[in-house]
DNA sequence: ATGGATGTCCATGCCGCCAGCATTGGCGG
């Protein structure tokens, strides 16, 4: 996303929150939030759009268009400043605390003069906070715990870390005899690049309802649990340590230090409502609302217990023994709503409910080639043969050896002489049943030129061009840099196009629409780097690229044997962008893939 | 503030759960 879009989106988001806090028209507030989301999804730099183009975007009307134009011209929005002068800045922080919404924060502000976390703590300590309506001791206890967490600097957890943690709980639960099904839900199941907490759903085997307590017990005693928050029969919540057994990313922790934790929730359900519950807990919220709205229009009502006929009674249908129209599987609930099955990765209310035909998305099993991998020649851990054997063991027909180029000195980048030697070594390496390609991951230098001259590049079977340094460039410079690289006739794939590291650095913010258009025109594939710290391209970029018909490569950027497993995260990101096998070059058969590679640069 | 149906007004995503000070408002999915 262009940097200006991100900045404007957060500014509009703040405006929305400030309008809520001031108690102004709530529809004005949600309009700002909607516009912020629309701008986050835009592939174009808002600075390059005129009023007419802006008005075509759903959720942007005349007033919002003026604000966007003002921001593009001056870098600020007057109305935002006016609102900010009326709302203490600390109040926005308070909204981050789970359980505190705009109404309660507003009440705390107007009645107790609470304007930030310190003054909130003071009012908790002296008890004056209990004077706020709907604020009792239980609420206060929750808020206290939430503040403690907020002060630890909680951030959303990387998908790869969350997956490993969820699997640790899930595999323990799957072993229990009274357990029928286990499935992590929430944003983890939707494959978002980061997750806020982990929800695990368990269906109890019919006739074993009385054994539910044992499931909760097993869950709460899973190694790595540091604290039990809720211990009911059908619902448990714990905090689990991230430092415990997370493979090679394990950090050293001082004795006694707890380190970062994440909340993990368990819900135990009857098998009969499994589908409806799985849908509810998978979300997204926006997708759920869309489905429930649709159910209403069809004379039904949808909740986490099932899809029921609407009967205008006040009490929930499941409490009255009403038989659901559908509930046991997600497939039957979607079918009853006259929708094709919607894959979890697409459940974001981004048009998936308007699509009448099932979308055949790329799957892990479709992937037949890894086109970005490193060996001991640069910073990888495997030899050429070991790498090829590992790829073959996964059923791949092709592995590309793409070690770093000379400018990536810290990563052991190859000089031209070493590269030529390496090409020979790759070409003489033979592993039966798999094609080993001689390639390079060539640095895209800050000015957009590549790290090897063209006469070297054309000797390679495959060229992955990636940005590694100069990742703080301004957007126009970054755009020009990437466009220049894409224009090089020897480039096949642009590797991790923005260079972001999730939770670490933002990376480049080029005009993605321009990059995608150029890639499509020059027949260059854009990479989804599957490492969970990168996931770059990100989901929204993939969606735009797919719309434009741009080719996509999903690669693991393999440095070690177990990194092939990261493919699931890259594929999930692709699926979030509605990527089909056809546009994903890693799914092509050997003949088609090799033919395409050879068609470039007059090879 | 937006967008849809009109020709300027009108509605604005659903549903369950929880705490509370009690029959509802706020929150979260």
């Amino acid at each position: 996303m262009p940097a200006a879009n991100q900045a404007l989106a957060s500014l509009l988001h703040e405006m929305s929150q400030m309008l809520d806090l001031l108690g102004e028209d709530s529809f004005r507030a949600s309009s700002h939030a909607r516009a912020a989301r629309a701008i986050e999804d835009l592939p174009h730099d808002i600075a390059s759009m005129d009023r007419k183009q802006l008005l075509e975007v759903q959720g942007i009307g005349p007033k919002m268009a003026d604000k966007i134009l003002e921001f593009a011209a001056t870098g600020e929005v007057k109305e935002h400043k006016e609102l900010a002068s009326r709302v203490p800045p600390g109040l926005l922080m308070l909204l981050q605390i789970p359980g505190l919404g705009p109404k309660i924060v507003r009440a705390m502000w107007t009645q107790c003069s609470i304007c930030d976390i310190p003054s909130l703590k003071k009012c908790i300590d002296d008890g004056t906070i209990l004077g706020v309506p709907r604020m009792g001791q239980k609420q206060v206890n929750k808020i206290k715990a939430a503040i403690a967490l907020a002060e630890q600097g909680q951030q959303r957890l990387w998908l790869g870390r969350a997956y490993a943690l969820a699997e640790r709980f899930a595999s323990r639960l799957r072993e229990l005899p009274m357990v029928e099904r286990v499935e992590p839900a929430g944003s983890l199941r939707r494959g978002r690049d980061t997750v806020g907490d982990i929800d695990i759903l368990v269906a109890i085997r019919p006739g074993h309802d009385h054994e539910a307590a044992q499931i909760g017990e097993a869950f709460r005693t899973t190694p790595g649990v540091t604290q039990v928050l809720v211990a009911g029969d059908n619902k448990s919540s714990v905090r689990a340590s991230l430092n415990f057994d997370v493979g090679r990313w394990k950090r050293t922790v001082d004795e006694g230090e707890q380190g970062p934790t994440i909340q993990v929730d368990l819900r135990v359900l009857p098998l009969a409502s499994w589908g409806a519950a799985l849908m509810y807990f998978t979300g997204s919220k926006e997708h759920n609302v869309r489905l429930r709205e649709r159910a209403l229009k069809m004379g039904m009502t949808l909740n986490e217990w099932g899809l029921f006929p609407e009967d205008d009674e006040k009490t929930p249908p499941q409490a009255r023994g009403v038989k659901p129209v559908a509930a046991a599987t997600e497939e039957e609930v979607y079918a009853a709503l006259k929708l094709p099955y919607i894959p979890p990765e697409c459940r974001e209310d981004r048009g998936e409910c308007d699509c009448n035909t099932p979308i055949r998305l790329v799957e892990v099993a479709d992937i037949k080639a890894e086109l970005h991998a490193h060996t001991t020649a640069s910073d990888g851990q495997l030899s050429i043969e070991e790498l090829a054997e590992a790829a073959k063991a996964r059923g791949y027909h092709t592995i590309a050896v793409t070690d770093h180029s000379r400018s990536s000195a810290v990563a052991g980048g190859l000089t031209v002489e070493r590269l030529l030697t390496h090409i020979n070594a790759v070409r003489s390496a033979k592993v039966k049943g798999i094609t080993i390609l001689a390639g390079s991951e060539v640095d895209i230098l800050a000015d957009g030129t590549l790290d090897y001259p063209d006469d070297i590049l054309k000797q390679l079977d495959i060229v992955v061009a990636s940005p590694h340094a100069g990742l703080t460039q301004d957007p126009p410079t970054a755009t020009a840099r990437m466009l220049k690289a894409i224009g090089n006739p020897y480039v096949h794939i642009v590797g991790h196009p923005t260079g972001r590291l999730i939770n670490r650095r933002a990376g480049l913010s080029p005009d993605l629409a321009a990059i995608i258009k150029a890639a499509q025109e020059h027949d260059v594939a854009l990479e989804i780097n599957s490492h969970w710290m990168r996931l770059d391209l990100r989901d929204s970029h993939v969606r735009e690229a797919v719309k434009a018909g741009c080719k996509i490569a999903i690669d693991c950027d393999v440095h070690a044997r177990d990194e092939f497993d990261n493919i699931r995260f890259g594929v999930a990101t692709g699926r979030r962008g509605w990527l089909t096998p056809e546009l994903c070059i890693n799914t092509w058969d050997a003949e088609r893939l090799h033919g395409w590679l050879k068609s470039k640069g007059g090879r």
Side-chain angles (χ1 to χ4, degrees):
Chain A
M1 183 186 347
N5 293 29
Q6 181 59 71
L8 176 59
S10 28
L11 185 136
L12 290 175
H13 222 88
E14 268 186 37
M15 289 179 70
S16 164
Q17 294 184 315
M18 292 190 290
L19 287 164
D20 270 333
L21 289 170
L22 289 164
E24 309 227 350
D25 182 11
S26 64
F27 298 115
R28 255 185 87 203
S30 52
S31 289
H32 283 81
R34 256 171 63 91
R37 196 174 171 216
I39 288 163
E40 279 172 355
D41 287 345
L42 280 180
H44 299 91
D45 192 332
I46 42 128
S48 69
M49 295 174 75
D50 60 28
R51 197 159 194 285
K52 184 164 163 287
Q53 291 171 310
L54 288 170
L55 287 171
E56 282 169 9
V57 179
Q58 257 319 302
I60 295 176
K63 293 264 176 71
M64 209 59 78
D66 287 341
K67 284 173 215 183
I68 296 168
L69 292 171
E70 182 191 350
F71 183 82
T74 68
E76 45 188 54
V77 175
K78 272 204 191 108
E79 201 187 326
H80 174 265
K81 285 188 135 177
E82 286 162 17
L83 290 168
S85 69
R86 294 163 60 199
V87 179
L91 283 188
L92 297 174
M93 299 286 294
L94 294 183
L95 285 176
Q96 308 285 328
I97 297 175
L100 289 189
K103 298 287 167 62
I104 289 181
V105 171
R106 175 172 164 75
M108 296 194 309
W109 173 36
T110 52
Q111 295 180 25
C112 298
S113 304
I114 291 171
C115 57
D116 50 22
I117 290 184
S119 57
L120 171 61
K121 278 179 156 173
K122 187 172 154 291
C123 289
I124 290 176
D125 290 340
D126 64 21
T128 49
I129 194 167
L130 292 168
V132 174
R134 323 208 138 262
M135 187 61 64
Q137 195 56 52
K138 283 201 174 180
Q139 280 273 27
V140 172
N141 291 344
K142 275 192 195 166
I143 293 171
K144 271 164 118 170
I147 293 175
L149 280 179
E151 286 179 335
Q152 280 178 30
Q154 286 292 308
Q155 52 187 3
R156 291 176 63 87
L157 181 64
W158 290 295
L159 177 62
R161 296 287 296 272
Y163 180 89
L165 191 61
E167 267 311 300
R168 183 142 49 81
F169 282 93
S171 58
R172 186 176 166 92
L173 296 169
R174 280 190 196 106
E175 288 170 6
L176 300 175
M178 74 296 288
V179 164
E180 181 77 28
R181 297 201 60 175
V182 179
E183 191 80 48
S187 44
L188 174 58
R189 183 161 181 249
R190 299 203 310 280
R192 270 193 64 173
D193 53 14
T194 57
V195 308
D197 60 13
I198 296 173
D199 263 318
I200 298 181
L201 263 53
V202 168
I204 197 160
R205 188 155 288 175
H208 291 71
D209 301 343
H210 57 287
E211 294 169 275
Q214 293 175 49
I215 302 173
E217 175 67 17
F219 173 76
R220 297 188 298 269
T221 55
T222 302
V225 169
T226 59
Q227 190 188 358
V228 176
L229 306 168
V230 179
D233 276 359
N234 295 316
K235 182 180 162 162
S236 290
S237 292
V238 299
R239 294 201 70 85
S241 168
L242 300 178
N243 292 326
F244 188 92
D245 182 29
V246 280
R248 67 192 199 81
W249 295 289
K250 187 171 173 178
R251 294 195 321 178
T252 51
V253 181
D254 292 337
E255 195 74 32
E257 186 203 332
Q258 181 166 310
T261 61
I262 188 167
Q263 181 163 334
V264 187
D265 294 339
L266 169 76
R267 290 161 210 266
V268 181
L269 327 147
L271 194 56
S273 53
W274 174 254
L278 190 55
M279 284 169 69
Y280 171 67
F281 288 112
T282 299
S284 67
K285 176 191 168 201
E286 290 77 10
H287 178 78
N288 287 347
V289 169
R290 191 64 70 202
L291 292 185
R292 287 170 183 211
E293 182 187 31
R294 187 183 179 95
L296 273 188
K297 282 190 188 133
M298 295 170 70
M300 297 181 286
T301 179
L302 176 65
N303 63 31
E304 58 265 48
W305 299 95
L307 180 64
F308 298 91
E310 175 62 271
D311 54 16
D312 291 323
E313 295 281 336
K314 279 191 187 135
T315 51
Q318 70 278 2
R320 289 177 278 118
V322 177
K323 190 174 177 297
V325 178
T329 67
E330 290 190 319
E331 285 78 3
E332 72 180 52
V333 176
Y334 279 110
L337 290 168
K338 299 215 174 347
L339 284 170
Y341 177 77
I342 297 178
E345 295 90 342
C346 299
R347 300 183 193 169
E348 297 287 349
D349 188 27
R350 295 202 161 105
E352 69 275 9
C353 294
D354 306 326
C355 191
N356 296 322
T357 49
I359 324 158
R360 166 64 165 92
L361 300 177
V362 64
E363 296 168 8
V364 170
D366 295 327
I367 302 293
K368 294 292 173 202
E370 169 63 48
L371 302 175
H372 183 172
H374 299 268
T375 68
T376 49
S378 62
D379 60 350
Q381 291 176 11
L382 303 177
S383 69
I384 298 166
E385 286 81 6
E386 287 168 334
L387 183 69
E389 290 287 358
K392 187 187 159 191
R394 303 188 73 93
Y396 291 179
H397 58 60
T398 300
I399 174 82
V401 175
T402 58
D403 279 296
H404 285 285
S405 63
R406 55 191 174 183
S407 289
S408 283
V410 283
L414 307 180
T415 60
V416 169
E417 291 73 32
R418 285 190 63 210
L419 174 65
L420 294 174
T421 311
H422 194 45
I423 293 174
N424 284 332
V426 172
R427 296 216 163 113
S428 56
K430 292 277 183 282
V431 173
K432 203 160 173 261
I434 188 163
T435 305
I436 309 174
L437 299 176
S440 174
E441 182 184 15
V442 187
D443 270 37
I444 301 173
L445 304 177
D447 64 356
T449 55
L450 298 186
D451 201 16
Y452 293 128
D454 287 357
D455 65 325
I456 299 295
L457 297 179
K458 74 175 162 197
Q459 299 180 44
L460 296 164
D461 303 324
I462 181 167
V463 173
V464 179
S466 315
H468 288 105
L471 296 176
T472 53
Q473 285 173 327
D474 60 61
T477 312
T479 305
R481 172 191 191 178
M482 300 308 287
L483 290 179
K484 187 166 175 190
I486 289 168
N488 181 299
Y490 300 102
V491 171
H492 294 97
I493 297 172
V494 176
H496 47 75
T498 75
R500 75 159 176 172
L501 287 182
I502 298 169
N503 288 345
R504 294 273 172 87
R505 68 171 184 230
L508 302 171
S509 302
D511 181 343
L512 248 297
I515 304 286
I516 287 165
K517 183 161 176 279
Q520 206 273 333
E521 286 171 3
H522 287 91
D523 201 20
V524 166
L526 298 178
E527 178 185 80
I528 300 172
N529 191 291
S530 301
H531 197 287
W532 43 263
M533 216 133 104
R534 292 192 181 274
L535 295 178
D536 174 19
L537 300 176
R538 68 177 64 192
D539 52 8
S540 56
H541 298 156
V542 178
R543 182 81 191 274
E544 291 306 322
V546 167
K547 278 188 197 162
C550 180
K551 291 184 181 64
I552 297 286
I554 306 180
D555 286 316
C556 290
D557 192 355
V558 174
H559 288 74
R561 195 180 305 272
D562 63 0
E563 288 184 352
F564 279 101
D565 289 333
N566 285 333
I567 192 70
R568 60 166 65 94
F569 308 124
V571 167
T573 302
R575 290 167 65 84
R576 289 180 62 79
W578 297 30
L579 178 61
T580 58
E582 173 60 24
L583 279 180
C584 176
I585 62 174
N586 309 69
T587 71
W588 295 354
D589 63 36
E591 192 185 352
R592 183 176 180 196
L593 176 63
H594 299 163
W596 177 70
L597 292 171
K598 286 191 183 117
S599 73
K600 295 225 44 169
R603 283 180 177 85

